[in-house]
Amino acid sequence: MFRSRRRAIAIALLLILPLILAACSTTGGKKAAQGSTSVAAGHANTQRYTIAMITHAAPGDTFWDIIRHGALAAAAKDNITLKYSSDPDPTKQAALIQDAINSKVAGIAVTDPNPAAICPTIQKAVQAGIPVVMFNAGVNNWQQCGGMSYFGQDESIAGLAAGKRLAQAGAKHVLCVLQATGQVQLEARCAGVAKGLGSEGTMTKVYVNGTDNAAMLSSMTAKLTQDKTIDAVITLGAPVALVAIQSINSAHSTAKLYTFDTNAALIAKIKSGAVQWAVDQQPYLQGYLSVDSLWLYLTNGNIIGGGVTVLTGPAFIDASNVAKVSQYALAGNR
């Protein structure tokens, strides 16, 4: 009987010992993790940083609201204070970058639609020790400016893809509508469209005032009234496309409408058939990745992209997938 009791005690000790060791191991792990980078319940408990996002957004352009939604989502997750500012005037945008440098932000996410005016100030930020990522505009010069990463689409590639789809749809005479002058990414889109059309089609450009709907309507209507051979119109922004619908109707044109970029109202027009398709560069992703990549660099020394552009587009939204995308557009994310 005595032996049986000793055997029972020995067995109990064998069963308890692993639990004791496990408890010691867990406690040791927690001590080792103290002071390290961690994320709890989807929200970073790392140091709070301030990041500046500076774009060339024009007032009222809803495309940029989608970018901000992505940036704010990443900022909320990463314990970041996001300071957003914008100006379509490249000189004023450069001044906003300088303001961010002067305020000693921890990082800068910036667009560069006009390298001659903006790149030198980006370089000043880098020289001041501020990490910079670039997105949306500046695909051909982000490395020269000193950006760590670039998030966006190659506008030449996107334009080429759009031009090929136009050619497949039978377009012969395409009107490419540019809502601003001097922006390299807009010119690259139109040039890509012309290349994609090939020898079977032609493309002409018209410049409009993208901040004045009445002026846009007048300019596009006049062009479509003057040239009845235009069978396709491609705009380079969703707000411009919405005005182009009115222009096509006012000019009694039979041209079909296509566009780059989206917003909720534009998605609805694809569903109704007023717009055939849109080239989607996924702006939410651009805003999100720009902020998140800076947080990863500041907290863990990570650099995304391996020295090459991280492409977020082109994707196409048309009748085949618009129903699904519209769910996200209603939330302001597509």
Side-chain angles (χ1 to χ4, degrees), residues 12 21 34 58-59 106 118 120 136 143 166 170 177 206 235 241 251 262 297 301 323 326:
L21 292 174
Q34 287 177 357
I118 297 170
N136 184 263
Q143 292 168 316
L166 288 169
V177 183
V206 61
T235 58
T262 65
Y297 178 78
S326 64

Side-chain angles (χ1 to χ4, degrees), residues 11 115 136 204 260 306 318:
I11 292 172
N136 184 263
T204 57
F260 285 76
D318 56 22

